[in-house]
Amino acid sequence: MSTINDSSNPVTTGLYQFVYISRITSAGLASPSTLNDISEIAIERNLIDNITGILCYGNGNFLQCVEGSEQALTNLKNRLLLDDRHKELKILDFSEIAKRRFASWSLRSITLERWMTKEPELKKLMPFKPDEWNANEWQKFLDILQGYYEGQNSTISVDTPPVKYSTLGVTLSKVVGEHQAFFLIQTVLGLMIVATLLWLLL
């Protein structure tokens, strides 16, 4: 958990946490390499700015948690506000913290991965729609991710090249997966209508 600065628990590390959610735009969906572009550029820049964190994507939603100096995160926030690949940016937290939770990753990006739907606590937060979560559920989500990736870090201690994701493909595969029966029924009905029209015309 992050440690928020208050009178009973003062924090003077100069280290801050910035957490936000947003939604992908049509411009972001239009490019199949959006997720890869974000990861590759962010990893390089975050290393320079000493920013660490994690970026989550699913169902057209982003949730990002980054850690660094107040100035570095403020600069990042300003760049994000101008980025046309997402919209409806909502800041969940910008506060001083005692230590980094994702210290080994300049940016680790994940999408809707299978282990998420099997992990009992994460399963309760699926489908991934952080804009509909209760006030503190994003903290629970990040705590679970932190534990999972600390386990991963025991075998991989450095940033690895981002997994190649297709933004549109990830979004559509999730939608289709949840609505297979609906699409199947609509397809069958469509074929029946076409067959009926052909029969009437003949």
Side-chain angles (χ1 to χ4, degrees), residues 84-119:
D84 66 355
R85 292 172 296 189
H86 70 158
K87 60 183 178 180
E88 300 171 25
L89 188 149
K90 177 182 178 182
I91 297 174
L92 301 177
D93 185 41
F94 198 120
S95 64
E96 197 166 12
I97 55 176
K99 63 180 181 178
R100 298 174 190 259
R101 68 166 79 207
F102 300 112
S104 298
W105 296 285
S106 52
L107 184 71
R108 180 59 53 91
S109 60
I110 62 172
T111 61
L112 296 171
E113 298 180 359
R114 289 185 178 181
W115 70 269
M116 289 183 169
T117 60
K118 296 177 181 178
E119 209 286 335

PDB file of all heavy atoms in Angstrom, residues 84-119:
ATOM      1  N   ASP A  84      -3.485  11.950 -27.479  1.00  0.00           N
ATOM      2  CA  ASP A  84      -4.798  11.707 -28.086  1.00  0.00           C
ATOM      3  C   ASP A  84      -5.151  10.228 -28.192  1.00  0.00           C
ATOM      4  O   ASP A  84      -6.180   9.873 -28.773  1.00  0.00           O
ATOM      5  CB  ASP A  84      -4.876  12.365 -29.475  1.00  0.00           C
ATOM      6  CG  ASP A  84      -3.929  11.720 -30.483  1.00  0.00           C
ATOM      7  OD1 ASP A  84      -3.143  10.822 -30.098  1.00  0.00           O
ATOM      8  OD2 ASP A  84      -3.978  12.121 -31.662  1.00  0.00           O
ATOM      9  N   ARG A  85      -4.322   9.351 -27.624  1.00  0.00           N
ATOM     10  CA  ARG A  85      -4.630   7.922 -27.652  1.00  0.00           C
ATOM     11  C   ARG A  85      -5.552   7.506 -26.512  1.00  0.00           C
ATOM     12  O   ARG A  85      -6.026   6.372 -26.472  1.00  0.00           O
ATOM     13  CB  ARG A  85      -3.336   7.101 -27.609  1.00  0.00           C
ATOM     14  CG  ARG A  85      -2.500   7.242 -28.877  1.00  0.00           C
ATOM     15  CD  ARG A  85      -1.155   6.587 -28.731  1.00  0.00           C
ATOM     16  NE  ARG A  85      -0.340   7.230 -27.700  1.00  0.00           N
ATOM     17  CZ  ARG A  85       0.946   6.964 -27.483  1.00  0.00           C
ATOM     18  NH1 ARG A  85       1.556   6.060 -28.235  1.00  0.00           N
ATOM     19  NH2 ARG A  85       1.615   7.596 -26.535  1.00  0.00           N
ATOM     20  N   HIS A  86      -5.788   8.440 -25.577  1.00  0.00           N
ATOM     21  CA  HIS A  86      -6.737   8.136 -24.506  1.00  0.00           C
ATOM     22  C   HIS A  86      -7.502   9.401 -24.124  1.00  0.00           C
ATOM     23  O   HIS A  86      -7.159  10.511 -24.540  1.00  0.00           O
ATOM     24  CB  HIS A  86      -6.023   7.513 -23.300  1.00  0.00           C
ATOM     25  CG  HIS A  86      -5.143   8.459 -22.554  1.00  0.00           C
ATOM     26  ND1 HIS A  86      -4.769   8.260 -21.256  1.00  0.00           N
ATOM     27  CD2 HIS A  86      -4.551   9.630 -22.914  1.00  0.00           C
ATOM     28  CE1 HIS A  86      -3.996   9.251 -20.845  1.00  0.00           C
ATOM     29  NE2 HIS A  86      -3.849  10.097 -21.837  1.00  0.00           N
ATOM     30  N   LYS A  87      -8.572   9.210 -23.356  1.00  0.00           N
ATOM     31  CA  LYS A  87      -9.447  10.317 -22.967  1.00  0.00           C
ATOM     32  C   LYS A  87     -10.005  10.053 -21.576  1.00  0.00           C
ATOM     33  O   LYS A  87      -9.774   8.994 -20.986  1.00  0.00           O
ATOM     34  CB  LYS A  87     -10.590  10.468 -23.979  1.00  0.00           C
ATOM     35  CG  LYS A  87     -11.474   9.211 -24.078  1.00  0.00           C
ATOM     36  CD  LYS A  87     -12.544   9.345 -25.139  1.00  0.00           C
ATOM     37  CE  LYS A  87     -13.374   8.059 -25.234  1.00  0.00           C
ATOM     38  NZ  LYS A  87     -14.431   8.150 -26.254  1.00  0.00           N
ATOM     39  N   GLU A  88     -10.748  11.020 -21.057  1.00  0.00           N
ATOM     40  CA  GLU A  88     -11.430  10.882 -19.761  1.00  0.00           C
ATOM     41  C   GLU A  88     -10.448  10.490 -18.651  1.00  0.00           C
ATOM     42  O   GLU A  88     -10.743   9.642 -17.810  1.00  0.00           O
ATOM     43  CB  GLU A  88     -12.565   9.856 -19.855  1.00  0.00           C
ATOM     44  CG  GLU A  88     -13.643  10.224 -20.871  1.00  0.00           C
ATOM     45  CD  GLU A  88     -14.640   9.106 -21.112  1.00  0.00           C
ATOM     46  OE1 GLU A  88     -14.818   8.258 -20.208  1.00  0.00           O
ATOM     47  OE2 GLU A  88     -15.233   9.056 -22.201  1.00  0.00           O
ATOM     48  N   LEU A  89      -9.283  11.121 -18.650  1.00  0.00           N
ATOM     49  CA  LEU A  89      -8.275  10.815 -17.633  1.00  0.00           C
ATOM     50  C   LEU A  89      -8.771  11.262 -16.265  1.00  0.00           C
ATOM     51  O   LEU A  89      -9.149  12.410 -16.076  1.00  0.00           O
ATOM     52  CB  LEU A  89      -6.955  11.498 -17.980  1.00  0.00           C
ATOM     53  CG  LEU A  89      -5.740  11.119 -17.125  1.00  0.00           C
ATOM     54  CD1 LEU A  89      -4.455  11.218 -17.951  1.00  0.00           C
ATOM     55  CD2 LEU A  89      -5.622  11.994 -15.878  1.00  0.00           C
ATOM     56  N   LYS A  90      -8.757  10.335 -15.330  1.00  0.00           N
ATOM     57  CA  LYS A  90      -9.206  10.621 -13.967  1.00  0.00           C
ATOM     58  C   LYS A  90      -8.081  10.236 -13.006  1.00  0.00           C
ATOM     59  O   LYS A  90      -7.652   9.083 -12.969  1.00  0.00           O
ATOM     60  CB  LYS A  90     -10.469   9.825 -13.630  1.00  0.00           C
ATOM     61  CG  LYS A  90     -10.958  10.023 -12.204  1.00  0.00           C
ATOM     62  CD  LYS A  90     -12.186   9.177 -11.919  1.00  0.00           C
ATOM     63  CE  LYS A  90     -12.651   9.340 -10.478  1.00  0.00           C
ATOM     64  NZ  LYS A  90     -13.816   8.469 -10.182  1.00  0.00           N
ATOM     65  N   ILE A  91      -7.600  11.212 -12.238  1.00  0.00           N
ATOM     66  CA  ILE A  91      -6.522  10.961 -11.282  1.00  0.00           C
ATOM     67  C   ILE A  91      -7.095  10.331 -10.016  1.00  0.00           C
ATOM     68  O   ILE A  91      -7.989  10.882  -9.371  1.00  0.00           O
ATOM     69  CB  ILE A  91      -5.789  12.266 -10.945  1.00  0.00           C
ATOM     70  CG1 ILE A  91      -5.120  12.835 -12.204  1.00  0.00           C
ATOM     71  CG2 ILE A  91      -4.734  12.019  -9.853  1.00  0.00           C
ATOM     72  CD1 ILE A  91      -4.490  14.203 -11.998  1.00  0.00           C
ATOM     73  N   LEU A  92      -6.577   9.144  -9.665  1.00  0.00           N
ATOM     74  CA  LEU A  92      -7.008   8.455  -8.451  1.00  0.00           C
ATOM     75  C   LEU A  92      -6.122   8.791  -7.263  1.00  0.00           C
ATOM     76  O   LEU A  92      -6.578   8.793  -6.121  1.00  0.00           O
ATOM     77  CB  LEU A  92      -6.993   6.932  -8.678  1.00  0.00           C
ATOM     78  CG  LEU A  92      -7.883   6.399  -9.810  1.00  0.00           C
ATOM     79  CD1 LEU A  92      -7.706   4.895  -9.944  1.00  0.00           C
ATOM     80  CD2 LEU A  92      -9.349   6.749  -9.549  1.00  0.00           C
ATOM     81  N   ASP A  93      -4.855   9.080  -7.548  1.00  0.00           N
ATOM     82  CA  ASP A  93      -3.934   9.381  -6.451  1.00  0.00           C
ATOM     83  C   ASP A  93      -2.708  10.117  -6.984  1.00  0.00           C
ATOM     84  O   ASP A  93      -2.182   9.782  -8.056  1.00  0.00           O
ATOM     85  CB  ASP A  93      -3.486   8.078  -5.763  1.00  0.00           C
ATOM     86  CG  ASP A  93      -2.624   8.340  -4.536  1.00  0.00           C
ATOM     87  OD1 ASP A  93      -2.942   9.274  -3.777  1.00  0.00           O
ATOM     88  OD2 ASP A  93      -1.633   7.610  -4.340  1.00  0.00           O
ATOM     89  N   PHE A  94      -2.294  11.134  -6.293  1.00  0.00           N
ATOM     90  CA  PHE A  94      -1.011  11.808  -6.534  1.00  0.00           C
ATOM     91  C   PHE A  94      -0.519  12.215  -5.167  1.00  0.00           C
ATOM     92  O   PHE A  94      -0.862  13.286  -4.659  1.00  0.00           O
ATOM     93  CB  PHE A  94      -1.179  13.020  -7.450  1.00  0.00           C
ATOM     94  CG  PHE A  94       0.115  13.492  -8.073  1.00  0.00           C
ATOM     95  CD1 PHE A  94       0.278  13.520  -9.439  1.00  0.00           C
ATOM     96  CD2 PHE A  94       1.189  13.894  -7.274  1.00  0.00           C
ATOM     97  CE1 PHE A  94       1.468  13.943 -10.025  1.00  0.00           C
ATOM     98  CE2 PHE A  94       2.372  14.309  -7.836  1.00  0.00           C
ATOM     99  CZ  PHE A  94       2.521  14.339  -9.224  1.00  0.00           C
ATOM    100  N   SER A  95       0.260  11.345  -4.542  1.00  0.00           N
ATOM    101  CA  SER A  95       0.660  11.599  -3.162  1.00  0.00           C
ATOM    102  C   SER A  95       2.065  11.089  -2.897  1.00  0.00           C
ATOM    103  O   SER A  95       2.604  10.261  -3.636  1.00  0.00           O
ATOM    104  CB  SER A  95      -0.318  10.913  -2.201  1.00  0.00           C
ATOM    105  OG  SER A  95      -0.270   9.504  -2.365  1.00  0.00           O
ATOM    106  N   GLU A  96       2.637  11.575  -1.810  1.00  0.00           N
ATOM    107  CA  GLU A  96       3.972  11.151  -1.409  1.00  0.00           C
ATOM    108  C   GLU A  96       3.900   9.754  -0.802  1.00  0.00           C
ATOM    109  O   GLU A  96       2.945   9.420  -0.087  1.00  0.00           O
ATOM    110  CB  GLU A  96       4.562  12.142  -0.408  1.00  0.00           C
ATOM    111  CG  GLU A  96       6.063  12.001  -0.256  1.00  0.00           C
ATOM    112  CD  GLU A  96       6.696  13.185   0.470  1.00  0.00           C
ATOM    113  OE1 GLU A  96       5.937  13.998   1.051  1.00  0.00           O
ATOM    114  OE2 GLU A  96       7.923  13.288   0.450  1.00  0.00           O
ATOM    115  N   ILE A  97       4.894   8.927  -1.111  1.00  0.00           N
ATOM    116  CA  ILE A  97       4.919   7.547  -0.626  1.00  0.00           C
ATOM    117  C   ILE A  97       6.262   7.260   0.045  1.00  0.00           C
ATOM    118  O   ILE A  97       7.242   7.973  -0.162  1.00  0.00           O
ATOM    119  CB  ILE A  97       4.669   6.528  -1.762  1.00  0.00           C
ATOM    120  CG1 ILE A  97       5.673   6.740  -2.906  1.00  0.00           C
ATOM    121  CG2 ILE A  97       3.233   6.644  -2.261  1.00  0.00           C
ATOM    122  CD1 ILE A  97       5.557   5.717  -4.042  1.00  0.00           C
ATOM    123  N   ALA A  98       6.283   6.198   0.843  1.00  0.00           N
ATOM    124  CA  ALA A  98       7.499   5.853   1.582  1.00  0.00           C
ATOM    125  C   ALA A  98       8.508   5.119   0.701  1.00  0.00           C
ATOM    126  O   ALA A  98       9.717   5.305   0.832  1.00  0.00           O
ATOM    127  CB  ALA A  98       7.142   4.998   2.791  1.00  0.00           C
ATOM    128  N   LYS A  99       8.010   4.258  -0.195  1.00  0.00           N
ATOM    129  CA  LYS A  99       8.914   3.496  -1.056  1.00  0.00           C
ATOM    130  C   LYS A  99       8.168   3.056  -2.311  1.00  0.00           C
ATOM    131  O   LYS A  99       6.936   3.058  -2.369  1.00  0.00           O
ATOM    132  CB  LYS A  99       9.466   2.277  -0.325  1.00  0.00           C
ATOM    133  CG  LYS A  99       8.421   1.259   0.086  1.00  0.00           C
ATOM    134  CD  LYS A  99       9.064   0.071   0.813  1.00  0.00           C
ATOM    135  CE  LYS A  99       7.997  -0.954   1.209  1.00  0.00           C
ATOM    136  NZ  LYS A  99       8.606  -2.134   1.873  1.00  0.00           N
ATOM    137  N   ARG A 100       8.930   2.648  -3.313  1.00  0.00           N
ATOM    138  CA  ARG A 100       8.354   2.186  -4.568  1.00  0.00           C
ATOM    139  C   ARG A 100       7.806   0.777  -4.410  1.00  0.00           C
ATOM    140  O   ARG A 100       8.394  -0.058  -3.726  1.00  0.00           O
ATOM    141  CB  ARG A 100       9.418   2.187  -5.677  1.00  0.00           C
ATOM    142  CG  ARG A 100       9.994   3.558  -5.995  1.00  0.00           C
ATOM    143  CD  ARG A 100      11.138   3.425  -6.988  1.00  0.00           C
ATOM    144  NE  ARG A 100      11.874   4.680  -7.140  1.00  0.00           N
ATOM    145  CZ  ARG A 100      11.708   5.525  -8.168  1.00  0.00           C
ATOM    146  NH1 ARG A 100      10.860   5.219  -9.136  1.00  0.00           N
ATOM    147  NH2 ARG A 100      12.391   6.640  -8.230  1.00  0.00           N
ATOM    148  N   ARG A 101       6.691   0.507  -5.087  1.00  0.00           N
ATOM    149  CA  ARG A 101       6.167  -0.855  -5.083  1.00  0.00           C
ATOM    150  C   ARG A 101       6.575  -1.612  -6.345  1.00  0.00           C
ATOM    151  O   ARG A 101       6.544  -2.835  -6.363  1.00  0.00           O
ATOM    152  CB  ARG A 101       4.645  -0.860  -4.911  1.00  0.00           C
ATOM    153  CG  ARG A 101       3.874  -0.288  -6.073  1.00  0.00           C
ATOM    154  CD  ARG A 101       2.391  -0.656  -5.969  1.00  0.00           C
ATOM    155  NE  ARG A 101       1.678   0.174  -5.030  1.00  0.00           N
ATOM    156  CZ  ARG A 101       0.580  -0.218  -4.382  1.00  0.00           C
ATOM    157  NH1 ARG A 101       0.114  -1.432  -4.555  1.00  0.00           N
ATOM    158  NH2 ARG A 101      -0.045   0.597  -3.577  1.00  0.00           N
ATOM    159  N   PHE A 102       6.934  -0.876  -7.416  1.00  0.00           N
ATOM    160  CA  PHE A 102       7.353  -1.517  -8.669  1.00  0.00           C
ATOM    161  C   PHE A 102       8.761  -1.056  -9.039  1.00  0.00           C
ATOM    162  O   PHE A 102       9.030  -0.629 -10.162  1.00  0.00           O
ATOM    163  CB  PHE A 102       6.365  -1.180  -9.793  1.00  0.00           C
ATOM    164  CG  PHE A 102       4.964  -1.640  -9.515  1.00  0.00           C
ATOM    165  CD1 PHE A 102       3.955  -0.718  -9.295  1.00  0.00           C
ATOM    166  CD2 PHE A 102       4.655  -2.989  -9.456  1.00  0.00           C
ATOM    167  CE1 PHE A 102       2.653  -1.136  -9.040  1.00  0.00           C
ATOM    168  CE2 PHE A 102       3.360  -3.416  -9.197  1.00  0.00           C
ATOM    169  CZ  PHE A 102       2.355  -2.492  -8.984  1.00  0.00           C
ATOM    170  N   ALA A 103       9.673  -1.152  -8.069  1.00  0.00           N
ATOM    171  CA  ALA A 103      11.003  -0.575  -8.227  1.00  0.00           C
ATOM    172  C   ALA A 103      11.811  -1.184  -9.369  1.00  0.00           C
ATOM    173  O   ALA A 103      12.714  -0.544  -9.897  1.00  0.00           O
ATOM    174  CB  ALA A 103      11.781  -0.725  -6.919  1.00  0.00           C
ATOM    175  N   SER A 104      11.517  -2.406  -9.765  1.00  0.00           N
ATOM    176  CA  SER A 104      12.328  -3.084 -10.784  1.00  0.00           C
ATOM    177  C   SER A 104      11.865  -2.835 -12.211  1.00  0.00           C
ATOM    178  O   SER A 104      12.496  -3.312 -13.147  1.00  0.00           O
ATOM    179  CB  SER A 104      12.339  -4.595 -10.519  1.00  0.00           C
ATOM    180  OG  SER A 104      12.912  -4.873  -9.270  1.00  0.00           O
ATOM    181  N   TRP A 105      10.759  -2.119 -12.378  1.00  0.00           N
ATOM    182  CA  TRP A 105      10.220  -1.947 -13.729  1.00  0.00           C
ATOM    183  C   TRP A 105      10.064  -0.471 -14.086  1.00  0.00           C
ATOM    184  O   TRP A 105       9.322   0.257 -13.444  1.00  0.00           O
ATOM    185  CB  TRP A 105       8.859  -2.625 -13.848  1.00  0.00           C
ATOM    186  CG  TRP A 105       8.955  -4.095 -13.680  1.00  0.00           C
ATOM    187  CD1 TRP A 105       9.433  -5.003 -14.583  1.00  0.00           C
ATOM    188  CD2 TRP A 105       8.575  -4.852 -12.526  1.00  0.00           C
ATOM    189  NE1 TRP A 105       9.377  -6.272 -14.054  1.00  0.00           N
ATOM    190  CE2 TRP A 105       8.857  -6.208 -12.789  1.00  0.00           C
ATOM    191  CE3 TRP A 105       8.036  -4.499 -11.287  1.00  0.00           C
ATOM    192  CZ2 TRP A 105       8.601  -7.225 -11.885  1.00  0.00           C
ATOM    193  CZ3 TRP A 105       7.790  -5.505 -10.375  1.00  0.00           C
ATOM    194  CH2 TRP A 105       8.076  -6.850 -10.672  1.00  0.00           C
ATOM    195  N   SER A 106      10.761  -0.028 -15.152  1.00  0.00           N
ATOM    196  CA  SER A 106      10.563   1.337 -15.629  1.00  0.00           C
ATOM    197  C   SER A 106       9.163   1.468 -16.201  1.00  0.00           C
ATOM    198  O   SER A 106       8.568   2.531 -16.161  1.00  0.00           O
ATOM    199  CB  SER A 106      11.605   1.705 -16.682  1.00  0.00           C
ATOM    200  OG  SER A 106      11.651   0.757 -17.708  1.00  0.00           O
ATOM    201  N   LEU A 107       8.629   0.384 -16.726  1.00  0.00           N
ATOM    202  CA  LEU A 107       7.193   0.274 -17.011  1.00  0.00           C
ATOM    203  C   LEU A 107       6.912  -1.167 -17.430  1.00  0.00           C
ATOM    204  O   LEU A 107       7.470  -1.666 -18.384  1.00  0.00           O
ATOM    205  CB  LEU A 107       6.735   1.201 -18.137  1.00  0.00           C
ATOM    206  CG  LEU A 107       5.218   1.143 -18.365  1.00  0.00           C
ATOM    207  CD1 LEU A 107       4.482   1.823 -17.205  1.00  0.00           C
ATOM    208  CD2 LEU A 107       4.811   1.783 -19.661  1.00  0.00           C
ATOM    209  N   ARG A 108       6.058  -1.828 -16.685  1.00  0.00           N
ATOM    210  CA  ARG A 108       5.632  -3.171 -17.060  1.00  0.00           C
ATOM    211  C   ARG A 108       4.182  -3.065 -17.530  1.00  0.00           C
ATOM    212  O   ARG A 108       3.332  -2.578 -16.809  1.00  0.00           O
ATOM    213  CB  ARG A 108       5.746  -4.125 -15.871  1.00  0.00           C
ATOM    214  CG  ARG A 108       5.314  -5.549 -16.164  1.00  0.00           C
ATOM    215  CD  ARG A 108       6.125  -6.183 -17.279  1.00  0.00           C
ATOM    216  NE  ARG A 108       7.561  -6.117 -17.066  1.00  0.00           N
ATOM    217  CZ  ARG A 108       8.267  -7.053 -16.443  1.00  0.00           C
ATOM    218  NH1 ARG A 108       7.667  -8.113 -15.944  1.00  0.00           N
ATOM    219  NH2 ARG A 108       9.568  -6.935 -16.323  1.00  0.00           N
ATOM    220  N   SER A 109       3.916  -3.484 -18.743  1.00  0.00           N
ATOM    221  CA  SER A 109       2.562  -3.374 -19.281  1.00  0.00           C
ATOM    222  C   SER A 109       1.899  -4.743 -19.323  1.00  0.00           C
ATOM    223  O   SER A 109       2.531  -5.734 -19.684  1.00  0.00           O
ATOM    224  CB  SER A 109       2.580  -2.769 -20.695  1.00  0.00           C
ATOM    225  OG  SER A 109       3.342  -3.570 -21.569  1.00  0.00           O
ATOM    226  N   ILE A 110       0.648  -4.790 -18.924  1.00  0.00           N
ATOM    227  CA  ILE A 110      -0.104  -6.038 -18.959  1.00  0.00           C
ATOM    228  C   ILE A 110      -1.484  -5.777 -19.544  1.00  0.00           C
ATOM    229  O   ILE A 110      -2.003  -4.667 -19.498  1.00  0.00           O
ATOM    230  CB  ILE A 110      -0.261  -6.669 -17.559  1.00  0.00           C
ATOM    231  CG1 ILE A 110      -1.053  -5.745 -16.633  1.00  0.00           C
ATOM    232  CG2 ILE A 110       1.092  -6.997 -16.953  1.00  0.00           C
ATOM    233  CD1 ILE A 110      -1.396  -6.379 -15.316  1.00  0.00           C
ATOM    234  N   THR A 111      -2.063  -6.812 -20.120  1.00  0.00           N
ATOM    235  CA  THR A 111      -3.443  -6.731 -20.575  1.00  0.00           C
ATOM    236  C   THR A 111      -4.240  -7.777 -19.803  1.00  0.00           C
ATOM    237  O   THR A 111      -3.786  -8.289 -18.788  1.00  0.00           O
ATOM    238  CB  THR A 111      -3.539  -7.000 -22.089  1.00  0.00           C
ATOM    239  OG1 THR A 111      -3.060  -8.314 -22.354  1.00  0.00           O
ATOM    240  CG2 THR A 111      -2.726  -5.991 -22.871  1.00  0.00           C
ATOM    241  N   LEU A 112      -5.412  -8.086 -20.281  1.00  0.00           N
ATOM    242  CA  LEU A 112      -6.246  -9.068 -19.605  1.00  0.00           C
ATOM    243  C   LEU A 112      -5.606 -10.454 -19.733  1.00  0.00           C
ATOM    244  O   LEU A 112      -5.785 -11.139 -20.725  1.00  0.00           O
ATOM    245  CB  LEU A 112      -7.644  -9.080 -20.229  1.00  0.00           C
ATOM    246  CG  LEU A 112      -8.423  -7.783 -20.065  1.00  0.00           C
ATOM    247  CD1 LEU A 112      -9.687  -7.818 -20.902  1.00  0.00           C
ATOM    248  CD2 LEU A 112      -8.777  -7.548 -18.605  1.00  0.00           C
ATOM    249  N   GLU A 113      -4.832 -10.835 -18.741  1.00  0.00           N
ATOM    250  CA  GLU A 113      -4.128 -12.106 -18.779  1.00  0.00           C
ATOM    251  C   GLU A 113      -4.934 -13.184 -18.064  1.00  0.00           C
ATOM    252  O   GLU A 113      -5.722 -12.903 -17.161  1.00  0.00           O
ATOM    253  CB  GLU A 113      -2.745 -11.945 -18.147  1.00  0.00           C
ATOM    254  CG  GLU A 113      -1.886 -10.946 -18.923  1.00  0.00           C
ATOM    255  CD  GLU A 113      -0.504 -10.757 -18.319  1.00  0.00           C
ATOM    256  OE1 GLU A 113      -0.216 -11.379 -17.282  1.00  0.00           O
ATOM    257  OE2 GLU A 113       0.276  -9.992 -18.893  1.00  0.00           O
ATOM    258  N   ARG A 114      -4.715 -14.427 -18.460  1.00  0.00           N
ATOM    259  CA  ARG A 114      -5.539 -15.532 -17.952  1.00  0.00           C
ATOM    260  C   ARG A 114      -5.450 -15.702 -16.441  1.00  0.00           C
ATOM    261  O   ARG A 114      -6.433 -16.035 -15.789  1.00  0.00           O
ATOM    262  CB  ARG A 114      -5.132 -16.833 -18.645  1.00  0.00           C
ATOM    263  CG  ARG A 114      -5.540 -16.885 -20.109  1.00  0.00           C
ATOM    264  CD  ARG A 114      -5.223 -18.227 -20.717  1.00  0.00           C
ATOM    265  NE  ARG A 114      -5.667 -18.282 -22.103  1.00  0.00           N
ATOM    266  CZ  ARG A 114      -5.525 -19.355 -22.881  1.00  0.00           C
ATOM    267  NH1 ARG A 114      -4.944 -20.438 -22.404  1.00  0.00           N
ATOM    268  NH2 ARG A 114      -5.950 -19.328 -24.120  1.00  0.00           N
ATOM    269  N   TRP A 115      -4.253 -15.475 -15.875  1.00  0.00           N
ATOM    270  CA  TRP A 115      -4.117 -15.682 -14.439  1.00  0.00           C
ATOM    271  C   TRP A 115      -5.019 -14.741 -13.654  1.00  0.00           C
ATOM    272  O   TRP A 115      -5.437 -15.049 -12.543  1.00  0.00           O
ATOM    273  CB  TRP A 115      -2.666 -15.508 -14.005  1.00  0.00           C
ATOM    274  CG  TRP A 115      -2.146 -14.107 -14.057  1.00  0.00           C
ATOM    275  CD1 TRP A 115      -1.528 -13.501 -15.102  1.00  0.00           C
ATOM    276  CD2 TRP A 115      -2.196 -13.129 -13.016  1.00  0.00           C
ATOM    277  NE1 TRP A 115      -1.192 -12.210 -14.800  1.00  0.00           N
ATOM    278  CE2 TRP A 115      -1.575 -11.951 -13.523  1.00  0.00           C
ATOM    279  CE3 TRP A 115      -2.693 -13.125 -11.719  1.00  0.00           C
ATOM    280  CZ2 TRP A 115      -1.456 -10.794 -12.761  1.00  0.00           C
ATOM    281  CZ3 TRP A 115      -2.567 -11.967 -10.976  1.00  0.00           C
ATOM    282  CH2 TRP A 115      -1.963 -10.825 -11.490  1.00  0.00           C
ATOM    283  N   MET A 116      -5.357 -13.588 -14.243  1.00  0.00           N
ATOM    284  CA  MET A 116      -6.209 -12.620 -13.551  1.00  0.00           C
ATOM    285  C   MET A 116      -7.602 -13.173 -13.282  1.00  0.00           C
ATOM    286  O   MET A 116      -8.199 -12.915 -12.243  1.00  0.00           O
ATOM    287  CB  MET A 116      -6.323 -11.341 -14.377  1.00  0.00           C
ATOM    288  CG  MET A 116      -5.072 -10.503 -14.425  1.00  0.00           C
ATOM    289  SD  MET A 116      -5.389  -8.988 -15.364  1.00  0.00           S
ATOM    290  CE  MET A 116      -3.900  -8.083 -14.988  1.00  0.00           C
ATOM    291  N   THR A 117      -8.126 -13.909 -14.250  1.00  0.00           N
ATOM    292  CA  THR A 117      -9.491 -14.419 -14.111  1.00  0.00           C
ATOM    293  C   THR A 117      -9.546 -15.635 -13.194  1.00  0.00           C
ATOM    294  O   THR A 117     -10.625 -16.093 -12.824  1.00  0.00           O
ATOM    295  CB  THR A 117     -10.071 -14.791 -15.489  1.00  0.00           C
ATOM    296  OG1 THR A 117      -9.248 -15.802 -16.087  1.00  0.00           O
ATOM    297  CG2 THR A 117     -10.115 -13.585 -16.395  1.00  0.00           C
ATOM    298  N   LYS A 118      -8.376 -16.163 -12.819  1.00  0.00           N
ATOM    299  CA  LYS A 118      -8.338 -17.323 -11.928  1.00  0.00           C
ATOM    300  C   LYS A 118      -8.013 -16.931 -10.493  1.00  0.00           C
ATOM    301  O   LYS A 118      -8.353 -17.651  -9.562  1.00  0.00           O
ATOM    302  CB  LYS A 118      -7.297 -18.335 -12.439  1.00  0.00           C
ATOM    303  CG  LYS A 118      -7.646 -18.926 -13.803  1.00  0.00           C
ATOM    304  CD  LYS A 118      -6.550 -19.857 -14.294  1.00  0.00           C
ATOM    305  CE  LYS A 118      -6.890 -20.422 -15.673  1.00  0.00           C
ATOM    306  NZ  LYS A 118      -5.819 -21.303 -16.198  1.00  0.00           N
ATOM    307  N   GLU A 119      -7.317 -15.810 -10.323  1.00  0.00           N
ATOM    308  CA  GLU A 119      -6.967 -15.343  -8.989  1.00  0.00           C
ATOM    309  C   GLU A 119      -8.242 -14.833  -8.306  1.00  0.00           C
ATOM    310  O   GLU A 119      -8.889 -13.911  -8.795  1.00  0.00           O
ATOM    311  CB  GLU A 119      -5.936 -14.214  -9.112  1.00  0.00           C
ATOM    312  CG  GLU A 119      -4.989 -14.092  -7.919  1.00  0.00           C
ATOM    313  CD  GLU A 119      -5.661 -13.490  -6.702  1.00  0.00           C
ATOM    314  OE1 GLU A 119      -6.653 -12.756  -6.883  1.00  0.00           O
ATOM    315  OE2 GLU A 119      -5.201 -13.750  -5.587  1.00  0.00           O
TER     316      GLU A 119
END
